[in-house]
Amino acid sequence: MSSTTSSHGRRKVLRSLVKRAAIPLADASGSYAVQHLPEWMAKSGFDFARWRRIWTARNPGNDRADLARLVAFIEHAAIVEGEALPGSVAELGVYRGTTARLLHELLPGRTLWLFDTFEGFDERDVAGDPGATSGSFRFTDTSLEAVLRHIGRSTRVRACKGRFPETAVAVPAGERFAFVHLDADLQKPTADALEFFYPRMVPGAVLMVHDYGSRAWPGVAAAVDAFFADKPESPVRIPDRSGSVVVRKSKAPVQRAGRSPG
Ligand SMILES: C[S@@+](CC[C@H](N)C(=O)[O-])C[C@H]1O[C@@H](n2cnc3c(N)ncnc32)[C@H](O)[C@@H]1O
């Protein structure tokens, strides 16, 4: 038996053990869930273990267990690749590079723009934010060099160190985006990023915003709701831990209601 076949066999046995033991236990707890992978991932030769390793490598405990979020990244990157949407990838809020590396590997061949101070929150954004003042997170324990090492050798990464939106001046006028991930936690940078990226997203592009449903960071939902109030798209929540939302940029000009054709 080849090593691939035997590891596939081991995985099958483990999956069946999880089904028999863990699902009833999770049901009985009333608060935990064991979630199936989407069929196409579980039943094809898709190597979920590889993406899980990237997800857990540098993620703190609570976030590494948020596999619904990992699956959402994989699914939406597959849409962008499957539809061959043109454009780069951008992330605001990189911290130690977990989602940056994931996006870089899920969307190969595309430029990856990274925006972060790489020194934690800017105090000007923290002041007045509805969530930041009570939280203890500041994300100072990182560096741009460590993030680049984690992502690995690549000529496609454009790292913009400093406070967003000031750092957005590095983006050339014609740059367009197929996938944008916002994970800045605070209201002001989230609002600024929506203003900046939305008009630069190609039709069909994916926008993922983390923490929309988070009680710790209420400014994110405030920024998203205010921005999309007059846009044709509606953010849709996914069932991950912090209630991320996903938006696909409209492909067609908006039809105004109330006018009879002709
Ligand atoms: C929750 S962390 C990002 C987590 C990351 N996506 C991951 O994979 O672990 C939030 C990050 O947003 C960054 N950030 C917040 N406001 C910013 C701003 N105005 N400009 C640049 N970076 C900002 C912080 O420095 C911090 O690293």
Side-chain angles (χ1 to χ4, degrees):
M1 200 194 281
S2 78
S3 67
T4 329
T5 323
S6 66
S7 82
H8 182 69
R10 257 199 313 277
R11 242 182 260 157
K12 252 179 107 172
V13 172
L14 274 171
R15 258 209 305 270
S16 119
L17 282 175
V18 167
K19 274 185 197 160
R20 267 186 279 157
I23 294 177
L25 274 176
D27 287 347
S29 83
S31 54
Y32 279 90
V34 177
Q35 170 66 46
H36 285 288
L37 288 179
E39 245 176 48
W40 73 266
M41 287 184 196
K43 296 200 171 156
S44 65
F46 184 82
D47 188 3
F48 185 70
R50 162 174 145 71
W51 302 104
R52 195 174 184 152
R53 277 195 296 277
I54 295 175
W55 189 243
T56 52
R58 307 199 84 194
N59 233 345
N62 284 333
D63 285 344
R64 58 189 278 148
D66 194 359
L67 295 181
R69 188 173 172 220
L70 168 62
V71 170
F73 276 112
I74 296 172
E75 290 275 20
H76 289 95
I79 289 171
V80 166
E81 289 289 285
E83 294 182 11
L85 297 181
S88 298
V89 181
E91 176 170 78
L92 169 63
V94 179
Y95 183 37
R96 301 176 75 198
T98 296
T99 45
R101 177 165 168 200
L102 182 70
L103 287 171
H104 198 45
E105 298 205 17
L106 283 171
L107 295 149
R110 296 172 193 264
T111 301
L112 172 67
W113 289 86
L114 298 178
F115 299 89
D116 204 301
T117 61
F118 298 99
E119 296 174 350
F121 292 154
D122 187 294
E123 286 309 317
R124 290 166 291 179
D125 298 333
V126 170
D129 189 272
T133 40
S134 57
S136 53
F137 298 104
R138 284 293 184 268
F139 304 105
T140 52
D141 53 343
T142 186
S143 71
L144 172 56
E145 294 68 32
V147 168
L148 294 178
R149 266 199 309 277
H150 180 57
I151 292 174
R153 215 178 257 276
S154 171
T155 52
R156 292 181 287 109
V157 178
R158 308 277 180 275
C160 302
K161 178 174 159 59
R163 185 191 185 211
F164 190 90
E166 285 88 314
T167 47
V169 293
V171 178
E175 188 72 340
R176 293 294 173 267
F177 296 92
F179 196 119
V180 175
H181 177 226
L182 305 186
D183 191 9
D185 296 349
L186 306 177
Q187 185 165 350
K188 166 106 178 55
T190 303
D192 290 339
L194 290 167
E195 291 288 345
F196 180 80
F197 287 112
Y198 179 84
R200 292 171 173 78
M201 284 166 60
V202 300
V206 170
L207 167 70
M208 281 180 70
V209 188
H210 193 223
D211 288 318
Y212 179 90
S214 163
R215 293 188 176 181
W217 309 111
V220 172
V224 168
D225 289 345
F227 184 80
F228 282 100
D230 63 354
K231 304 291 180 299
E233 304 89 352
S234 298
V236 176
R237 279 175 76 149
I238 60 167
D240 67 351
R241 183 167 177 262
S242 303
S244 295
V245 285
V246 177
V247 179
R248 289 199 72 191
K249 181 84 180 280
S250 173
K251 286 183 176 171
V254 187
Q255 300 290 318
R256 298 269 166 233
R259 279 215 206 135
S260 52

